[in-house]
Every structure is written in structure tokens, then in C-alpha cells.
Amino acid sequence: MSPKPERLHGPVSQPPAPPQLLGLPGSLLPTLVVFPRSPAGEQEDSMDRKETCLRVVVRVRPLTCQELRRGDQRVVHCLGDNTIYVNAAGQEAAFRASAAFDAGTSQEGLFEGSGMKRLIELAANGFSCTAFAFGQTGSGKTYSLMGPLAQSEGQPVTPYLGGLMQRAFVCLLEQTQCYRPGLVLSASYVEIHNEQVRDLLSPGPPRPLPVRWSKTRGFYIENLLTVEFGSLEAIMDLLQEGTRRRRSAAHVLNRHSSRSHALLTIRIHRKALSPDPSSCQQGVLCFVDLAGSERVKDTGSAGERLVEASNINRSLLALGHCISLLVDPRRRRNHIPYRDSKLTRLLAESLGGSGITLMVACISPSSRCLPETLRTLRFASRAKKVTTKPMAHRVSREKLLRSLEQEIQALREENLSLRQQLRLPRIRGESPATHTPPTQLPECQGESRAPGQRGAPRRAPGSARRSLSGLLQDFVLENEQLRRWLLSTPAAAPAAVLSGQPRPPPASAPRYGPPPARLAGDRTLSA
């Protein structure tokens, strides 16, 4: 028997009760876990480049009404030590998982025990994290991730039935609003149907998008629409819109069978407002709902459904082949055929790169589904042996300086516009054309010349970051002051600003201006 893998959870401390979001009942709001960390980020540094096994959990769904009427026997049982026991006529097998959930486990119990909270925390700290569900068609993959199908049809979902996605959204937004100011969230949603990648959020008729590869980004989807969001309502609207456009059909085993693989990716960008490059991080939290494997003689697929089933099984076979190679240390050093399918290309970093992965294996306890159940459990046993080397994605010093310069330039132009509206004189001779660039600061800000040195002055290490961050903070404070007085009495605003004694801002005054739609590599909109 293989040793029990380490839990993904670390030592935790309970924070104060978080506020209700959007008036949702407490049954949908998960208990937020805050992982203690030192100012230097000891916890994140300990994860960097340390080999970590994929965490694989197994969930057994209840018998359906059709299976009960048919008289199917329950042949799969969950034991207390995370062991799944299969006992059928002439077949007995036991499989060990990181965690096992029987048919009576609630959606909240799956979220609490699967390690999803830890995954969210790591994604917020710059790691690339993936959670995907796999298994036979009709085994409960979509339900585990997204809850019941009523929400995709525009009907409100019962709070305690929310899946891993909804509960992760709530937990992540709580961290953004209460514990992690400065985080910017954006989402993209795609499906892989018949080996073609389609954007589920882009308006207009669907069209295939190419999957490219680069040395810096790895495999990525070209021209993918990314939408910024800041509330639970906004991300739920995006999820429902994309789910309605996803391909699904009915067959013998499932009335709402997904005919494509779906990937919802949440990008977590932490703005840099300090001179430390590690403060600017880019984490990823990806949810993958794999289409279920099918036996055509059981599903009765024909025509277009048969073509879809063939492509689904082919991509799942490529995924299994990549995992088999990754398990073997000797064969892993050679070529891994990620290019065999679009699915394995997009999951390359999660499986064998620098990501952290949670796999939810969904199975049926019915005796009629025994062959597919055993195949899923064997696949889970192999996947549990795959290791990755997690690495936080931190922005390089050059990109950080460019980002700070862009923020300063935007604030400078906005402040000049506000001063014109308030009929205030420009200070320090500022203008978009004549203002000294942030990278050419005077000597008092950290530049020095060696004896006899000619040419450009030498800058002390780290002085550029300190100067830029300080200048950015000055512009932010000036912007807040100007906005307060622009919303206050117009006649009193100029004299008060010039005197340097602003009054308290009105209750409706925003702290910062509305964020503009930005282009950050891919097409980006504000939700």
C-alpha cells in the first residue's frame, strides 16, 4: 500500500468573520483561511521549485433514479482511510486517494476537504493553480465544479448547492476586498470542441482560435478575450453566459452531456505600489471541466454525436499518455507529446511544469458503469504520482519599472486635466511634453558619479524603484485631493487646494477613478 500523501493544507489560523457578499446566505460563504506568513514571504518561498505531487481526490455520486429502477447494484464504497473499495462479481480492487468523498458528501464538504482553499491562497500569491474534474460521462463532474444546471438556464441556484467554482469566487473576492487590496481579477472562458478552441465570452459567431507557443508564455490562446471583474455578480454573469454557449447534448447515459472540454481561467494580478519587485505578481486559477469518456455502445451516439465522442476520447487518451510518461522518471526526461491535442497543450504547465494541480475524479457506484469506474480510478492512481515544481510568477525588474512608469504617466495626465477643470495653475512646470521622465531623476534621488566618470551618472542599486514608487505615491495623493475638491463646492475648491487644507471628501467621492479598459497582452474589457 502506497504511503499516504501529504495534505495540501498547512497550519491555519481563523480570521474574524468576513462580511456577507451581495447578501448571500452563509451556507455559500466558505470559511476564509488565512495562512500565516512572514513579511519576507517565507511560506511562498518554501513552495518555490519544490517538487509537489498532484493532489487527487475521488468523489462517488449517488445512484440515479434510473439506475435504482433498473436494479443496479452499488459496487463502489469509500472507506475511512481515503481508500475506495470496488467489490463486484469476480472483481475486487482498492485504490488510495488524497481524499475520498462518498455519495453523502455535500458541496461544502467537497470544498472544505479537497484542498481548494489552499489552491486559492497560492494563486493569490502568484502561483499557477489548476483544478479539473474528470471521469465517465454522467459521473457528476460539472455538478462538482458548477453546481446544478439551473443556473446556466438563468434560474437562481440554491446557495448550499454551489460548486467549487462559486465557492472559490466568494473566497477569492473576500481576500481581494478585505485582506489583499491591490489585486485585479480578470477571467477568460473557452471550450475545446472537436479539437477547435472557441471563446465562450467573445460576442458574435464562434470562430476557432489558434494555440501558439512562445519561450516566455509557453502554450497560449491567441486573441483570447479577457474580462476584468470585481464582484460576485459580474463573474457569475460571465460563467452563466459562457455555459449557455457551451456545446451540450443528450444521450442514453446523460440528458445534459458536455460535448466539449471547458476551461475557465481567473488571472490574479497584484499591482506594484512598492519598490519590491516581488510585490507585483501574476497568479492564475484555472478550472477545467473535462468532457466525459464514452463507450459508444453504452451511449448510443451516432452521426455528429459519434464524431464528438471520438474527439473527446482521443484527447483524453492523449492526456492519459502524457501522464503515463510523466510518472516514469526515465521517460520523463525525453519528449512529452503535449502537442498531440489542444487539451494537453493548454494543460502542459499544470501537469509537468511549474503549476499546482488539484484533480477531482468523479465516478459512478453503479455495477453497470464498472469498467469506466475502474478506468477512472487507475487513471487517478497514475496521476497522483506526477510531480511538478511550483514557481511563483513575479514580474521582472524591467517590467516592473515599465509598469510604474505607465501608472505615473496616466496619473500625471489625469491630474493635469483635473487642474484645468479646477482652473488651477500647473505646479513645478509640469506638462505632458516637458515633464522630466521618471527614469531621469535629479542627482539628489540616488544618482552619483564616480571620480573622473564621464557620461550618464551611476544610479545606486534599487534607487530607480524607490524613486518611481515614491513619485507614484505623490501622484496618487494629489489625484485623491483634486478629485475630492472637484466633487465639492466648485467656488471654494481652488482656494482650498492652493492653501493645502482640504476638507473631508463627500460620501460619494470615489477613492480612485474608474479603471479604464486596458490591453494587457490579450484583449481586455472591464466587466
Side-chain angles (χ1 to χ4, degrees):
M1 183 176 296
S2 59
K4 185 175 181 180
E6 296 182 0
R7 296 181 61 200
L8 202 57
H9 294 284
V12 300
S13 60
Q14 188 67 29
Q20 295 282 334
L21 290 178
L22 302 176
L24 290 176
S27 57
L28 183 58
L29 295 175
T31 303
L32 183 64
V33 174
V34 176
F35 294 83
R37 47 181 250 175
S38 66
E42 293 179 357
Q43 182 179 357
E44 287 73 25
D45 293 340
S46 64
M47 284 292 294
D48 272 343
R49 301 187 180 278
K50 180 181 178 182
E51 283 200 355
T52 304
C53 293
L54 270 64
R55 180 172 173 84
V56 181
V57 302
V58 177
R59 189 181 197 185
V60 184
R61 68 161 173 81
L63 289 170
T64 64
C65 297
Q66 181 181 2
E67 291 169 342
L68 292 173
R69 288 194 301 266
R70 200 167 51 205
D72 292 0
Q73 299 296 318
R74 181 185 297 273
V75 297
V76 179
H77 307 275
C78 292
L79 304 183
D81 57 348
N82 297 330
T83 301
I84 300 91
Y85 179 64
V86 180
N87 183 16
Q91 296 190 56
E92 289 188 9
F95 300 87
R96 190 73 173 271
S98 303
F101 304 96
D102 57 19
T105 303
S106 64
Q107 294 282 70
E108 182 178 3
L110 177 64
F111 181 82
E112 296 288 340
S114 62
M116 194 67 219
K117 289 181 179 180
R118 174 65 167 156
L119 217 61
I120 297 169
E121 175 72 15
L122 291 172
N125 284 302
F127 289 89
S128 178
C129 303
T130 305
F132 69 86
F134 65 96
Q136 181 187 13
T137 178
S139 59
K141 301 181 299 298
T142 303
Y143 177 81
S144 297
L145 285 179
M146 302 172 54
L149 293 174
Q151 63 178 357
S152 63
E153 301 170 0
Q155 303 177 11
V157 62
T158 306
Y160 70 88
L161 295 180
L164 293 178
M165 285 186 179
Q166 292 89 338
R167 297 174 188 275
F169 298 156
V170 173
C171 189
L172 188 57
L173 287 167
E174 284 177 351
Q175 291 201 19
T176 303
Q177 297 176 6
C178 304
Y179 301 96
R180 299 289 183 88
L183 291 183
V184 178
L185 306 178
S186 60
S188 61
Y189 199 8
V190 300
E191 71 170 355
I192 305 175
H193 177 258
N194 287 341
E195 282 302 299
Q196 290 186 341
V197 179
R198 296 196 319 136
D199 194 339
L200 295 177
L201 300 181
S202 181
R207 56 187 180 88
L209 299 178
V211 178
R212 308 293 189 190
W213 183 87
S214 70
K215 292 183 178 180
T216 56
R217 302 178 61 181
F219 290 105
Y220 68 97
I221 302 173
E222 193 175 47
N223 297 324
L224 178 63
L225 179 65
T226 303
V227 183
E228 290 186 0
F229 67 93
S231 66
L232 185 60
E233 289 178 341
I235 183 58
M236 289 303 299
D237 289 344
L238 295 176
L239 177 62
Q240 293 175 16
E241 177 186 354
T243 303
R244 282 194 298 267
R245 302 180 65 181
R246 185 183 177 188
R247 302 290 183 93
S248 62
H251 55 66
V252 175
L253 296 182
N254 191 355
R255 292 183 301 171
H256 303 279
S257 174
S258 302
R259 312 309 296 168
S260 64
H261 309 298
L263 293 85
L264 176 70
T265 304
I266 307 296
R267 290 175 175 81
I268 309 167
H269 176 72
R270 180 183 297 177
K271 288 186 176 180
L273 294 178
S274 71
D276 184 9
S278 64
S279 65
C280 187
Q281 299 173 344
Q282 296 178 349
V284 176
L285 181 60
C286 182
F287 296 93
V288 184
D289 183 13
L290 296 179
S293 57
E294 299 183 12
R295 299 180 67 185
V296 176
K297 68 175 184 179
D298 293 335
T299 60
S301 300
E304 184 181 356
R305 302 286 87 80
L306 179 60
V307 175
E308 293 172 341
S310 299
N311 284 298
I312 290 172
N313 291 335
R314 187 178 298 111
S315 61
L316 294 176
L317 182 63
L319 176 62
H321 181 51
C322 290
I323 287 181
S324 298
L325 295 178
L326 290 170
V327 170
D328 191 341
R330 292 177 298 177
R331 301 172 67 185
R332 180 171 182 167
R333 300 173 185 173
N334 300 325
H335 172 68
I336 305 296
Y338 291 119
R339 295 182 180 270
D340 285 357
S341 74
K342 299 289 179 62
L343 176 65
T344 50
R345 294 184 196 182
L346 298 179
L347 292 181
E349 184 178 6
S350 303
L351 296 176
S354 59
I356 303 171
T357 303
L358 167 67
M359 303 176 66
V360 183
C362 300
I363 58 177
S364 166
S366 171
S367 55
R368 183 168 180 173
C369 300
L370 180 60
E372 286 294 325
T373 296
L374 291 174
R375 188 174 292 110
T376 300
L377 290 174
R378 294 189 184 104
F379 177 83
S381 297
R382 292 197 305 271
K384 193 177 64 173
K385 302 175 183 177
V386 176
T387 59
T388 60
K389 292 185 178 180
M391 181 176 62
H393 299 280
R394 295 183 173 90
V395 179
S396 64
R397 182 179 183 276
E398 291 75 15
K399 289 184 178 180
L400 175 59
L401 293 178
R402 286 199 300 268
S403 175
L404 290 174
E405 290 175 359
Q406 292 172 0
E407 293 282 350
I408 290 172
Q409 179 65 21
L411 281 171
R412 180 192 299 117
E413 294 176 358
E414 183 178 351
N415 291 355
L416 289 175
S417 175
L418 292 173
R419 285 183 170 275
Q420 292 175 0
Q421 296 179 47
L422 292 170
R423 298 179 181 179
L424 294 177
R426 291 174 178 171
I427 59 173
R428 299 190 301 271
E430 286 186 354
S431 69
T434 62
H435 185 74
T436 304
T439 54
Q440 299 175 2
L441 299 173
E443 184 174 346
C444 62
Q445 293 185 344
E447 292 178 349
S448 62
R449 293 180 182 271
Q453 178 186 357
R454 296 182 179 179
R458 181 180 60 192
R459 185 177 298 277
S463 61
R465 295 197 303 269
R466 288 194 296 270
S467 302
L468 287 175
S469 61
L471 191 59
L472 178 60
Q473 292 176 4
D474 292 341
F475 276 114
V476 168
L477 293 175
E478 181 187 8
N479 185 271
E480 289 181 346
Q481 184 177 345
L482 292 172
R483 283 180 172 273
R484 289 170 185 168
W485 286 108
L486 186 63
L487 294 175
S488 63
T489 306
V497 174
L498 287 174
S499 65
Q501 298 177 355
R503 295 180 302 174
S508 61
R511 179 174 178 81
Y512 299 101
R518 300 179 302 178
L519 275 171
D522 297 322
R523 295 181 298 156
T524 305
L525 298 178
S526 297

